[in-house]
């Protein structure tokens, strides 16, 4: 049994609840364990993941959050830099599933977060599990 850490940016609580439900269900269905921590926003997820990875206590990581386009350039920075940070960590050999939604509006986020619809939290957890299994194959 592997242990996964779900790192969530809990800015939109009602959407995060759905993303978390999907991620937790996918990890449990695969027979693995998980813990969850919360950070202030999506930009903090890669840093928290790097800190957690240093402990050696986790086999994989699931990033959960929602970034909705606003009126300023901030959306592009948060969306791009959080994804870039997660990609860098995965390139360093960590098993990472990116479930940070980057959407135009809350309606798009709702469809993607809902486990009964697009279930992006579950997909992110499945991606982390797949990368963990691939990593084991190459060890």
């Amino acid at each position: 049994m592997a242990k996964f850490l779900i790192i969530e940016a809990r800015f939109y609580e009602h959407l995060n609840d759905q993303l978390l439900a999907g991620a937790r269900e996918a990890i449990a269905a695969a027979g693995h364990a998980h813990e969850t921590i919360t950070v202030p926003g999506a930009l903090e997820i890669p840093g928290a993941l790097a800190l957690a990875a240093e402990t050696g206590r986790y086999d994989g990581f699931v990033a959960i959050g929602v970034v909705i386009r606003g009126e300023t350039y901030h959306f592009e920075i948060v969306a791009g830099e959080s994804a870039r940070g997660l990609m860098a960590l995965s390139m360093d050999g960590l098993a990472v599933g990116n479930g940070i939604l980057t959407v135009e509006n809350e309606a798009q986020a709702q469809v993607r977060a809902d486990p009964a619809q697009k279930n992006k939290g579950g997909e992110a957890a499945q991606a982390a599990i797949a990368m963990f299994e691939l990593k084991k194959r190459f060890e």
Side-chain angles (χ1 to χ4, degrees):
M1 174 183 1
K3 187 169 189 179
F4 289 84
L5 179 64
I6 301 170
I7 304 170
E8 67 159 337
R10 197 152 179 82
F11 195 80
Y12 297 96
E13 290 190 19
H14 63 293
L15 298 168
N16 268 61
D17 287 343
Q18 294 178 70
L19 288 167
L20 279 170
R24 289 173 173 163
E25 182 178 319
I27 293 169
H32 300 300
H34 67 81
E35 289 182 23
T36 303
I37 62 168
T38 302
V39 297
L43 283 175
E44 289 75 35
I45 291 175
L49 196 157
L51 292 171
E54 289 178 5
T55 70
R57 295 192 307 228
Y58 304 101
D59 299 297
F61 305 88
V62 182
I64 298 291
V66 179
V67 182
I68 299 176
R69 184 180 299 277
E71 298 176 357
T72 68
Y73 184 69
H74 186 67
F75 171 86
E76 280 82 5
I77 293 170
V78 174
E81 291 302 312
S82 61
R84 185 195 59 77
L86 293 176
M87 181 58 67
L89 292 163
S90 70
M91 296 296 289
D92 286 341
L94 299 179
V96 178
N98 184 351
I100 301 175
L101 304 181
T102 53
V103 296
E104 297 292 324
N105 54 55
E106 190 168 334
Q108 289 178 349
Q110 178 61 48
V111 169
R112 286 157 179 77
D114 186 350
Q117 294 185 59
K118 295 211 178 225
N119 193 20
K120 294 301 182 179
E123 286 182 12
Q126 290 169 347
I129 293 165
M131 293 306 292
F132 162 71
E133 291 171 353
L134 183 63
K135 184 177 177 179
K136 282 190 347 186
R137 181 176 169 191
F138 291 124
E139 289 179 342

